[in-house]
Amino acid sequence: MRIRLAVTALALATALTAGAALPADAATPASSAPASVNPAVQDILDHLPDDVVAGALIRRDGVGAAAGPVTADAHFRIGSVTKVFTNTVVLQLVAEHRIGLDAPARRYVPEALPEAYDRVTVRQLLDHTSGLPKPVSTPGPADGPGWQLKSVTPEDFLRDSFAAATDLPPSPGFEQQYNGLNSLVLGLIVEKVTGHSFTNELEHRIIRPLRLRHTTLPSADDLTIPSPHAEVYVDGQDVTEQSPYPWAEGGMISTAADLDRFITALFRGRLLPPAQQQLVFAIPKVKNAADNTNCVGQAACYSIGGLLRYQLPDGEYAWGKTGSRPGWNNGIFATRDLRHRVVYSLNPTGTGNELPYIKALVNAALAG
């Protein structure tokens, strides 16, 4: 949820639309990837780890591979990939007529949204056209040792963000501006209409039915991550154990195999009835906000399902989501027909730009 990390994740979207090669001076130690991995992906992994990427794992069309001190079956903090799970739960409740897609969000959580936002609908929260204010900063290295162990509740984070807003809210539905506050409000709506915790609904509706045995949404005070996992660092400090307080916005832990199973089920319509399944890929016909760096060009790129649409080098569109937490940069992407799927997780060292690596991996995995 930290702004710096969110910006890093969002920047991936713009990078994924063009091919990229690894830096010419990348090291070439042996990778742990199996011989059966896609040759183009394998070639990239053979250059890792190096000064920029300490470790990498990838799963392409069901085949896993890794490089550096991480295994292909490792757990990782998926960050904003969580948003796709959140949107799916909400759309399930829409299908059950327990949430109105075009109903005002304040109807469900008046305590979470100020009256100035009384025209914001659930649909606009889902597709990032709500016009909610920019999030305030959250715990980070500037807060001193132990910053990664601190947390903030969704309610406090929303309250502080609204309190810090100085401009009048823009008209909802006018433009698309990616904003994690939308997901926090959606999580609170789920809890209000079901009477259960968001975690309970997530487990009941997605995790258990799909048998995602390595996927969890820990409580904010659960700092652990299951083994195997990478040891990750920020500014030389081990931050492997950290608070997953971003919750419905970015707090989940998973594996590449589980995320591959999830995106396959989502694209095949196993999680939603036909009417809501169409919304998974429905992008609002609005402009992209001027300072929104995740969409390329002037048009919106995020769907009601929370998926990012981007154009591959060959002109085909693919769909997915990026996410990050301290020590991890991740993503899931697939072609609409599931001809190719990719899940990746990198462990950046913080000493360079890992975007060329991500561009290379994603484009290689989805090509052809």
Side-chain angles (χ1 to χ4, degrees), residues 289-313:
D291 60 346
N292 192 24
T293 60
N294 53 322
C295 296
V296 177
Q298 299 181 348
C301 67
Y302 271 102
S303 72
I304 296 175
L307 296 175
L308 164 71
R309 183 185 69 179
Y310 70 94
Q311 194 170 30
L312 294 167

Side-chain angles (χ1 to χ4, degrees), residues 34 43 57 86 97 134 141 198 210 217 223 236 248 295 328 341 365:
D43 181 63
L57 66 85
T86 299
H97 305 289
K134 293 182 179 180
F198 178 75
L210 294 184
L217 177 55
L223 311 178
C295 296
W328 284 276
R341 316 177 308 277

Side-chain angles (χ1 to χ4, degrees), residues 93-179:
L93 289 166
V94 169
E96 297 166 13
H97 305 289
R98 301 171 73 180
I99 293 178
L101 186 63
D102 293 306
R106 289 194 81 245
R107 175 186 298 177
Y108 306 102
V109 287
E111 69 283 356
L113 290 171
E115 290 186 8
Y117 297 87
D118 59 358
R119 291 191 297 155
V120 172
T121 66
V122 172
R123 180 194 298 267
Q124 290 161 350
L125 294 173
L126 290 165
D127 65 16
H128 296 287
T129 61
S130 64
L132 296 191
K134 293 182 179 180
V136 294
S137 60
T138 50
D143 297 318
W147 61 268
Q148 75 276 12
L149 311 180
K150 299 177 181 179
S151 64
V152 59
T153 68
E155 294 86 353
D156 287 346
F157 190 70
L158 286 166
R159 185 197 64 233
D160 293 346
S161 296
F162 286 121
T166 57
D167 298 328
L168 291 175
S171 299
F174 177 69
E175 63 183 14
Q176 187 172 74
Q177 175 65 68
Y178 181 88
N179 191 335

Side-chain angles (χ1 to χ4, degrees), residues 15-20 60 310-319 334-337 339-340 359 362-368:
L16 292 173
T17 58
R60 191 257 190 184
Y310 70 94
Q311 194 170 30
L312 294 167
D314 64 2
E316 182 179 9
Y317 284 108
W319 300 79
T335 55
R336 177 77 177 266
D337 60 4
R339 185 177 70 259
H340 292 305
K359 290 190 292 185
V362 172
N363 287 333
L366 295 181

Side-chain angles (χ1 to χ4, degrees), residues 59-63 85 210 212 254-266 332-334 338 340-343:
R59 188 175 183 88
R60 191 257 190 184
D61 294 350
V63 178
F85 286 81
L210 294 184
L212 306 181
S254 192
T255 63
D258 272 13
L259 291 180
D260 185 43
R261 182 186 290 262
F262 167 66
I263 197 171
T264 299
L266 179 63
I332 57 172
F333 288 92
L338 291 173
H340 292 305
R341 316 177 308 277
V342 61
V343 181

